[in-house]
């Protein structure tokens, strides 16, 4: 060969297996595998090559060097005194695929014609027993779950009365079925609002013990500063309405940055990135989400003439996620990664973002961080906290380009 076999390029192992099956010595196969090419290694002693070497050219069906029938076009090729052969081949099965497809269409067409003739014959036969056959067909439809079957009978005899009773029964079943389907859709919508699509699908399939160890996730905790004090001066309806606006805004941002809301506790908000779908930039997405949360709350507070701000803690690492509960299910996340993020949130000054050492190490080229110091709590290890100061990114790009 003076050019590489496409079978070697596309499937080296399969090509080697084919060569062994036709008796090529193992030494040659080993060289082809070692150099990953068939050039100057694979001999092609087919009828097309031999005839072209004798100066002939043509097109015919032969067996190629794999002993597979091919449609081969060949001709001698002389380049600066070199006596080469050019061969272009395509498997017979591929070359005649359109013919085989046409044969298949003809077979299908004949089958359809036979089926139509059979149906016409059956229809002519059924004319004589039409009332009974109509009831039988409708009953079979109902048995298969089709509750839109209606029996039409213009007669005033016993068959007409039977058809009328049958239609009334089907109408009652249809109403019950539609009610059940509506309830099922409402339940599915509720499950999708509570759980991620992946978890909702597993629950719908009947899986109940859902627990998994997930690596490389970023966990965010946030609390609304001064919200409890503010809520004391508001009615319950105003408190709920205010929280609903804020949480709705946060939820829209989770979709934008690819995070999953885990839960809200009072005015606390917890979200995770990289949980349902692994993401290499989970920490950056989470930090960008946190920055937009801060901006959103400050703008919201200014528009409403309030004095609200956020305390945010972020950490990354491994986490355990699963569904707990029997009658009231809850999808939650646990582990040291979650605990550290919560500690950072608790120690965070209002209007700031505290991150762990891991986050700072990975993103220090993109954001400015300021060392806050060690967070020491009784019975817990010391925790180094960094405060996010600003982003180093100066080039303006569209959000969908950043996270594509």
């Amino acid at each position: 060969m003076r050019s590489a076999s496409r079978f070697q390029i596309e499937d080296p192992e399969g090509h080697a297996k084919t060569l062994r099956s036709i008796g090529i010595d193992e030494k040659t196969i080993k060289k082809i595998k070692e150099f990953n090419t068939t050039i100057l290694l694979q001999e092609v002693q087919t009828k097309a090559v031999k005839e072209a070497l004798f100066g002939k050219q043509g097109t015919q069906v032969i067996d190629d060097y794999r002993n597979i029938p091919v449609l081969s076009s060949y001709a001698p090729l002389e380049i600066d005194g070199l006596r080469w052969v050019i061969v272009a081949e395509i498997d017979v099965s591929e070359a005649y695929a359109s013919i085989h497809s046409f044969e298949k269409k003809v077979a299908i067409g004949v089958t359809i014609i036979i089926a139509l003739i059979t149906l016409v014959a059956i229809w002519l036969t059924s004319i004589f027993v039409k009332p009974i056959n109509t009831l039988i067909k409708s009953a079979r439809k109902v048995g298969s779950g089709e509750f839109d079957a209606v029996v039409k009978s213009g007669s005033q005899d016993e068959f007409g009365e039977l058809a009328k009773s049958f239609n009334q029964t089907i109408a009652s079943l249809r109403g019950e079925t539609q009610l059940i389907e509506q309830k099922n859709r409402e339940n599915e919508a509720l499950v999708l609002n509570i759980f991620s699509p992946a978890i909702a699908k597993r629950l719908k399939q009947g899986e109940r013990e859902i627990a998994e160890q997930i690596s490389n996730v970023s966990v965010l905790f946030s609390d609304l500063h001064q919200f409890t004090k503010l809520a004391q001066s508001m009615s319950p309806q105003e408190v709920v309405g205010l929280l609903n606006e804020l949480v709705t805004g946060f939820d829209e941002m989770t979709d934008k940055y690819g995070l999953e809301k885990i839960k809200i506790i009072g005015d606390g908000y917890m979200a995770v990135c990289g949980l349902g779908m692994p993401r290499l930039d989970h920490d950056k997405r989470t930090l960008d989400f946190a920055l937009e949360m801060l901006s959103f709350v400050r703008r919201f507070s200014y528009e409403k003439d309030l004095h609200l701000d956020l305390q945010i803690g972020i950490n990354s690492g491994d986490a355990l996620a699963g569904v707990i509960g029997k009658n009231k299910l809850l999808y939650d996340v646990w582990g040291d990664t979650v605990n550290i993020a919560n500690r950072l949130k608790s120690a965070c000054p209002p209007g700031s973002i505290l991150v762990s050492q891991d986050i700072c190490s990975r993103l220090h080229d993109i954001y400015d961080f300021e060392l806050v110091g060690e967070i020491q709590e009784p019975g817990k290890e010391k925790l180094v906290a960094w405060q996010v100061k600003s982003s180093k990114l100066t080039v303006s790009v569209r959000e969908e380009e950043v996270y594509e």
Side-chain angles (χ1 to χ4, degrees):
M1 284 191 177
R2 261 55 177 183
S3 61
S5 169
R6 73 178 180 93
F7 303 105
Q8 171 65 23
I9 296 173
E10 295 174 355
D11 184 11
E13 294 298 328
H15 185 242
K17 185 177 179 181
T18 301
L19 295 181
R20 291 190 184 93
S21 67
I22 62 176
I24 301 299
D25 61 278
E26 195 64 30
K27 184 178 180 181
T28 301
I29 296 174
K30 185 176 180 181
K31 286 184 178 181
I32 292 174
K33 186 175 182 180
E34 180 179 356
F35 295 106
N36 194 27
T37 184
T38 58
I39 298 176
L40 299 179
L41 296 174
Q42 176 71 52
E43 293 185 359
V44 182
Q45 299 180 3
T46 63
K47 182 179 179 181
V49 173
K50 292 177 181 178
E51 291 194 5
L53 287 174
F54 280 103
K56 298 180 180 180
Q57 63 181 17
T59 299
Q60 58 180 303
V61 175
I62 64 168
D63 289 341
D64 68 355
Y65 63 91
R66 303 167 297 149
N67 284 342
I68 294 176
V70 296
L71 182 62
S72 178
S73 292
Y74 54 89
L77 180 66
E78 291 193 9
I79 303 175
D80 294 335
L82 295 176
R83 294 181 61 247
W84 285 12
V85 169
I86 183 169
V87 180
E89 295 176 337
I90 182 172
D91 289 0
V92 170
S93 59
E94 184 178 356
Y96 295 146
S98 58
I99 296 176
H100 296 156
S101 176
F102 177 73
E103 292 176 348
K104 184 178 180 181
K105 290 179 180 178
V106 171
I108 294 174
V110 171
T111 303
I112 293 174
I113 291 173
I114 294 174
L116 289 174
I117 294 174
T118 304
L119 290 174
V120 170
I122 294 174
W123 174 72
L124 292 174
T125 304
S126 66
I127 291 177
F128 301 100
V129 287
K130 183 176 180 180
I132 297 177
N133 283 343
T134 301
L135 285 174
I136 292 174
K137 290 178 181 179
S138 300
R140 287 175 178 172
K141 287 183 178 180
V142 174
S144 63
E146 298 181 24
F147 296 107
D148 56 349
V150 177
V151 179
K152 295 181 180 180
S153 176
S155 62
Q156 302 297 323
D157 53 12
E158 290 80 0
F159 286 112
E161 291 295 325
L162 183 59
K164 184 178 179 180
S165 300
F166 181 85
N167 290 336
Q168 290 175 349
T169 303
I170 297 306
S172 177
L173 288 174
R174 189 186 305 120
E176 295 294 333
T177 303
Q178 290 174 350
L179 181 61
I180 293 173
E181 290 177 351
Q182 180 182 351
K183 294 298 181 182
N184 286 337
R185 288 193 295 268
E186 292 175 356
N187 291 337
E188 290 180 6
L190 181 61
V191 170
L192 286 173
N193 285 332
I194 298 175
F195 303 105
S196 67
I199 298 300
K201 182 178 179 181
R202 294 170 65 178
L203 289 172
K204 187 177 178 181
Q205 292 173 347
E207 190 174 350
R208 285 295 177 264
E209 295 182 0
I210 300 177
E212 50 193 351
Q213 184 78 29
I214 303 175
S215 301
N216 299 322
V217 300
S218 291
V219 181
L220 176 145
F221 275 97
S222 72
D223 263 342
L224 280 170
H225 182 65
Q226 296 290 352
F227 183 80
T228 302
K229 182 178 179 181
L230 176 65
Q232 294 174 354
S233 62
M234 302 172 66
S235 67
Q237 291 78 11
E238 291 174 330
V239 172
V240 173
L242 186 66
L243 268 180
N244 186 53
E245 288 188 61
L246 289 169
V247 171
T248 300
F250 296 160
D251 290 346
E252 292 175 354
M253 282 184 271
T254 58
D255 294 336
K256 176 180 177 181
Y257 290 98
L259 280 77
E260 294 183 36
K261 180 180 75 174
I262 302 301
K263 59 185 175 182
I264 55 173
I265 303 176
D267 56 356
Y269 193 92
M270 177 184 178
V272 180
C273 186
L275 195 60
M277 178 184 296
R279 298 185 185 275
L280 294 177
D281 59 343
H282 56 87
D283 41 13
K284 184 180 184 305
R285 286 173 175 266
T286 306
L287 191 47
D288 288 343
F289 170 67
L291 290 169
E292 187 160 341
M293 286 180 76
L294 277 178
S295 177
F296 175 76
V297 170
R298 287 169 181 170
R299 183 171 61 252
F300 181 87
S301 181
Y302 176 79
E303 292 174 352
K304 301 290 185 180
D305 194 22
L306 304 173
H307 299 284
L308 296 175
D309 221 328
L310 279 179
Q311 299 169 270
I312 301 176
I314 304 175
N315 184 32
S316 64
D318 301 337
L320 177 66
V323 176
I324 57 175
K326 186 175 181 181
N327 296 325
K328 295 183 179 180
L329 302 179
L330 173 67
Y331 184 67
D332 209 344
V333 184
W334 308 272
D336 290 338
T337 302
V338 178
N339 296 335
I340 290 174
N342 192 27
R343 290 175 62 189
L344 289 168
K345 179 265 298 179
S346 300
C348 181
S352 301
I353 303 172
L354 292 189
V355 301
S356 64
Q357 182 65 54
D358 291 339
I359 297 286
C360 179
S361 299
R362 285 172 55 93
L363 300 179
H364 68 275
D365 291 334
I366 306 176
Y367 303 91
D368 283 326
F369 296 96
E370 180 181 353
L371 179 64
V372 175
E374 294 182 345
I375 300 174
Q376 181 64 56
E377 299 179 42
K380 297 181 180 179
E381 296 183 359
K382 292 181 180 180
L383 176 62
V384 178
W386 295 80
Q387 183 176 348
V388 182
K389 301 301 293 182
S390 64
S391 172
K392 295 181 180 179
L393 293 177
T394 58
V395 180
S396 178
V397 293
R398 295 188 307 170
E399 186 64 39
E400 57 267 25
E401 293 174 346
V402 174
Y403 293 111
E404 185 176 359

